[in-house]
């Protein structure tokens, strides 16, 4: 089959690789119908995630059809159309028992496109299939459903739930990329008084307005002053960092009110300064997190009911074999206006092998 392979920082290629096979009785092999590219994939290509070894197939989000399952898989079977979660769960370790699947110690967690071969391929092997894929209703289109593999549960869990958004809050989101935009739509479920979005790209700020932001600010023009003006000098109740650079995190800590919450969502490759000399007296809560995807079934039901504007985030579509072009468009979002890119490929007959 063909797949998008990481060969080291700045090096990658769409190339021929061996077909996947069932390795464990809890595995499933899935024919990929739709995949997308995550900001985390860009961080990997830049060398920010050193655990990813050269030769790894990238990607951790997909929709597809099951072609084979291991002998212990009970909840899905060949022919089922499924969403592949970005997080795999053994279901047995202490973290999984607390629904903290992202911290799985039984061989799961964020492994696809990280520690094992990922989804940006014609076929993918998914470990722990019973807990790591979700059957899809026919009413949800593949290019919409694939956004529920990562960005919507990440924005909802690591941003909105960790930030404890409440009715009447002022919410500020730094970063109007796909995660930041998904944070707008899921924060609105909790009826905040206002949502303020900060970014550098005018096109993304316009997208934020369309998705429900009440105010937008250019990151170069003192956005903390705008937040202060809107809150009588207090600051935001909840500030979410959705960029993954030190400057964005430090801006968040300047925008939060005393007693407020900073929810870091971004993937960071460099240290950020924590100004405790200013924060120690402010009763500020700072959270970090890797998504657990415990909310995915709920979000799927909401998408099926038309309650999540997933389609509005998809700006570009490509055939699966145009992976390099899709990466280029996504990486140059400031120039291309890309929010989320979705790729779909042709079927490839694979001779799957049993365990």
């Amino acid at each position: 089959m063909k797949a998008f392979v990481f060969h080291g920082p700045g090096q990658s290629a769409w190339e021929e690789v061996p077909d996947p096979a069932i390795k464990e009785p809890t595995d499933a092999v899935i024919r990929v119908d739709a995949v997308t590219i995550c900001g985390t994939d860009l961080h990997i290509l830049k060398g920010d995630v050193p655990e990813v070894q050269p030769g790894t197939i990238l990607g951790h989000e997909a929709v597809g059809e099951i072609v084979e399952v291991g002998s212990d898989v009970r909840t899905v079977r060949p022919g089922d159309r499924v969403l592949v979660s970005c997080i795999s769960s053994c279901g047995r370790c202490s973290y999984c028992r607390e629904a903290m699947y992202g911290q799985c110690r039984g061989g799961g967690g964020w492994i696809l496109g990280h520690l094992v071969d990922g989804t940006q391929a014609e076929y993918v092997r998914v470990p722990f299939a019973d807990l790591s894929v979700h059957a899809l209703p026919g009413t949800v289109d593949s290019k919409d459903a694939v956004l529920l593999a990562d960005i919507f549960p990440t924005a909802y869990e690591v941003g909105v739930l960790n930030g404890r958004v409440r009715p009447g809050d002022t919410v500020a989101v730094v970063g109007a990329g796909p995660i930041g935009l998904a944070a707008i739509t899921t924060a609105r479920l909790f009826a905040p008084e206002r949502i303020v979005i900060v970014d550098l790209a005018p096109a993304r700020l316009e997208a934020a307005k369309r998705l429900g932001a009440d105010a937008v600010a250019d990151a170069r023009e003192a956005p903390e002053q705008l937040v202060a003006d809107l809150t009588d000098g207090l600051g935001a109740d909840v500030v979410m960092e959705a960029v993954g650079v030190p400057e964005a995190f430090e801006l968040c800590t300047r925008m939060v009110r005393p007693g407020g919450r900073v929810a870091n969502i971004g993937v960071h490759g460099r240290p950020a300064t924590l100004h405790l000399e200013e924060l120690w007296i402010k009763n500020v809560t700072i959270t970090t997190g890797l998504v657990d995807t415990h909310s995915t079934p709920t979000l799927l039901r909401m998408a099926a009911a038309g309650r999540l504007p997933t389609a509005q985030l998809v700006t570009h579509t490509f055939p699966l074999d145009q992976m390099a072009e899709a990466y280029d468009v996504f990486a140059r979002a400031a120039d291309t206006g890309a929010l989320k890119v979705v790729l779909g490929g042709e079927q490839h007959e694979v001779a799957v092998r049993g365990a």
Side-chain angles (χ1 to χ4, degrees), residues 18-74:
D19 293 327
I22 298 291
K23 293 183 179 180
E24 301 291 341
T26 52
D27 289 349
V29 172
I30 294 169
R31 176 178 57 78
V32 172
D33 292 332
V35 303
T36 185
I37 301 170
C38 180
T40 305
D41 297 321
L42 299 183
H43 281 280
I44 292 171
L45 287 178
K46 288 193 296 184
D48 289 345
V49 189
E51 300 85 19
V52 182
Q53 296 298 307
T56 302
I57 298 170
L58 295 185
H60 50 266
E61 307 158 271
V63 169
E65 181 180 315
I66 291 181
V67 296
E68 188 177 14
V69 297
S71 58
D72 286 353
V73 176
R74 297 289 181 266

Side-chain angles (χ1 to χ4, degrees), residues 21-351:
I22 298 291
K23 293 183 179 180
E24 301 291 341
T26 52
D27 289 349
V29 172
I30 294 169
R31 176 178 57 78
V32 172
D33 292 332
V35 303
T36 185
I37 301 170
C38 180
T40 305
D41 297 321
L42 299 183
H43 281 280
I44 292 171
L45 287 178
K46 288 193 296 184
D48 289 345
V49 189
E51 300 85 19
V52 182
Q53 296 298 307
T56 302
I57 298 170
L58 295 185
H60 50 266
E61 307 158 271
V63 169
E65 181 180 315
I66 291 181
V67 296
E68 188 177 14
V69 297
S71 58
D72 286 353
V73 176
R74 297 289 181 266
T75 61
V76 290
R77 59 186 181 181
D80 285 352
R81 179 171 168 262
V82 296
L83 170 69
V84 179
S85 175
C86 66
I87 297 295
S88 303
S89 167
C90 79
R92 297 178 178 179
C93 71
S94 60
Y95 282 109
C96 286
R97 287 175 178 270
E98 296 178 8
M100 295 177 64
Y101 308 127
Q103 304 302 323
C104 175
R105 291 297 182 265
W110 173 37
I111 56 174
L112 291 173
H114 180 208
L115 305 179
V116 303
D117 285 334
T119 59
Q120 289 171 3
E122 294 176 313
Y123 281 77
V124 59
R125 178 183 72 91
V126 178
F128 307 115
D130 277 329
L131 290 169
S132 305
V133 303
H134 302 270
L136 283 176
T139 55
V140 181
D141 186 86
S142 292
K143 69 178 175 59
D144 297 332
V146 75
L147 302 192
L148 300 175
D150 184 351
I151 68 163
F152 271 89
T154 295
Y156 182 57
E157 295 175 18
V158 185
V160 175
L161 296 186
N162 277 3
R164 303 200 311 274
V165 175
R166 296 177 294 201
D169 276 352
T170 291
V171 176
V173 181
V174 178
I179 291 287
L181 296 176
I184 296 173
T185 64
T186 50
R188 282 170 57 86
L189 300 173
F190 292 84
E193 180 180 358
R194 62 175 68 88
I195 300 176
V196 182
I197 301 297
V198 180
D199 203 279
L200 293 169
R204 291 194 165 189
L205 293 176
E206 286 300 317
K209 290 179 185 177
R210 292 195 299 271
L211 286 165
D214 300 288
V216 299
D218 189 309
R220 294 160 294 203
E221 298 178 359
E224 57 265 51
Q225 186 59 53
L226 171 63
V227 171
D229 291 344
L230 291 171
T231 58
D232 295 325
L234 279 179
D237 300 282
V238 182
V239 187
M240 304 181 205
E241 198 284 334
V243 182
V245 298
E247 297 81 4
F249 175 79
E250 292 166 27
L251 173 61
C252 289
T253 63
R254 296 196 301 271
M255 296 170 69
V256 68
R257 69 164 175 82
R261 287 87 66 194
V262 175
N264 184 87
I265 313 173
V267 177
H268 288 263
R270 292 182 288 135
T273 301
L274 182 63
H275 288 282
L276 284 177
E277 77 280 6
E278 299 172 1
L279 294 172
W280 74 270
I281 202 170
K282 294 179 67 175
N283 291 28
V284 170
T285 298
I286 298 174
T287 60
T288 66
L290 173 67
V291 65
D292 293 311
T293 67
H294 61 76
S295 67
T296 302
T298 298
L299 295 172
L300 272 172
R301 291 196 302 272
M302 295 182 67
R307 297 293 301 277
L308 291 178
T310 50
Q312 294 184 45
L313 272 68
V314 178
T315 54
H316 296 73
T317 58
F318 297 86
L320 197 60
D321 60 4
Q322 290 184 12
M323 191 69 69
E325 293 89 336
Y327 262 88
D328 178 64
V329 167
F330 186 60
R332 295 187 301 107
D335 300 322
T336 64
L339 296 176
K340 205 66 175 166
V341 302
V342 173
L343 302 96
E346 297 178 358
Q347 294 191 18
H348 158 77
E349 295 302 323
V350 62

